[in-house]
Amino acid sequence: MHSYALRVNTAVTLAIMVLAVLCSFVSLSDHFHASSPHVHLEVLSIDAFQRQKAGNDEVWLTLNISADFSSVFSWNTKQLFIFVAAEYVTPKNVVNQVSLWDAILVSKNHAKFSIKTRNKYSFVDQGNNLRGSDFNLTMYWHVMPLTGAMYTEKQVFSGFRLPTE
Ligand SMILES: *[C@@H]1O[C@H](CO)[C@@H](O)[C@H](O)[C@H]1NC(C)=O
Ligand SMILES: *[C@@H]1O[C@H](CO)[C@@H](O)[C@H](O)[C@H]1NC(C)=O
C-alpha cells in the first residue's frame, strides 16, 4: 500500500542519498586540487622588549607578511583562516607557540596581499625565556571547505633571534 506520506518519505530519502554522494564526490575531487601558495614572513623591527610587572617578557615587533593564497582556493573552498605563530623552545625543552596575527580570507580575489603590521596579539612568554632566544615564524592556513573535512597546512621560516636586552 503506497500512501502519500510513504512516497514523500522515499523521495526525501533518495534526495538525501543523492546529496550525500554528491558531497563526497565534491570533497574527493577537491582532494586532488593542487595548491602552491607563496608565503614570505619577515621581521622588520623589534619595537619593544620589556618585562611586564608579573615578570614575563613581552615583545612588540613589526612584521612584513606577504602571501598569495589564491591557488589554495578551489570551487569547494569556503574560506581560509590564516595565522602567524612565533615558535620557540624554552630551557625545559618545551615548544612554545604564540599566535601573533591572524586573518580570514573569504575569496580568491583577496588572497594575495602584503602588509606591514605590528603583532596583533601580544608576544608574551610565561617567564623570561625570550632574551636572546631563537624563534621561528610559522604561517598556518586552515582550509575550510563548503563540504568535506577542514585541513591545515603550514610553512616555517626559521632563524630569527630576539635581542638579549
Ligand atoms: C615585504 O616583503 C615583500 C616580499 O618579499 C617585499 O616585496 C616588500 O618590499 C617588503 N616590504 C617591506 C616594507 O619591507
Ligand atoms: C624552527 O625551524 C627549524 C627548521 O625548520 C626546526 O628545525 C626547529 O625545530 C624549529 N623550532 C621550533 C621551536 O619549532
Side-chain angles (χ1 to χ4, degrees):
M1 205 176 71
H2 289 250
S3 73
Y4 178 68
L6 186 65
R7 256 180 289 151
V8 168
N9 193 323
T10 309
V12 169
T13 307
L14 183 69
I16 290 171
M17 272 173 60
V18 167
L19 204 65
V21 169
L22 273 178
C23 284
S24 51
F25 177 71
V26 165
S27 49
L28 197 67
S29 80
D30 193 43
H31 197 71
F32 296 107
H33 171 79
S35 70
S36 53
H38 299 287
V39 180
H40 178 76
L41 297 179
E42 164 181 39
V43 175
L44 295 176
S45 59
I46 305 282
D47 306 323
F49 195 4
Q50 59 203 30
R51 185 160 295 178
Q52 293 180 323
K53 285 201 191 83
N56 297 330
D57 281 343
E58 179 177 27
V59 182
W60 288 98
L61 35 76
T62 303
L63 300 170
N64 180 9
I65 306 170
S66 314
D68 183 353
F69 284 106
S70 44
S71 70
V72 178
F73 279 82
S74 75
W75 56 289
N76 186 34
T77 307
K78 183 166 176 252
Q79 61 184 25
L80 306 186
F81 172 68
I82 63 173
F83 72 95
V84 173
E87 293 167 340
Y88 60 97
V89 177
T90 43
K92 285 182 208 151
N93 235 348
V94 179
V95 175
N96 298 275
Q97 188 188 60
V98 183
S99 174
L100 300 182
W101 180 89
D102 61 14
I104 290 173
L105 307 179
V106 294
S107 79
K108 199 172 185 151
N109 301 334
H110 297 101
K112 187 177 177 183
F113 60 90
S114 178
I115 59 163
K116 187 179 154 183
T117 179
R118 273 281 184 90
N119 43 315
K120 191 162 149 185
Y121 306 111
S122 55
F123 185 178
V124 178
D125 180 52
Q126 305 297 333
N128 51 6
N129 301 300
L130 295 181
R131 265 139 235 274
S133 64
D134 293 319
F135 66 102
N136 291 346
L137 288 176
T138 305
M139 172 70 87
Y140 288 87
W141 56 101
H142 292 302
V143 183
M144 300 176 181
L146 291 170
T147 165
M150 185 177 96
Y151 63 94
T152 305
E153 291 187 348
K154 66 173 182 178
Q155 189 173 340
V156 182
F157 293 80
S158 52
F160 300 101
R161 174 167 290 176
L162 287 165
T164 49
E165 294 301 313

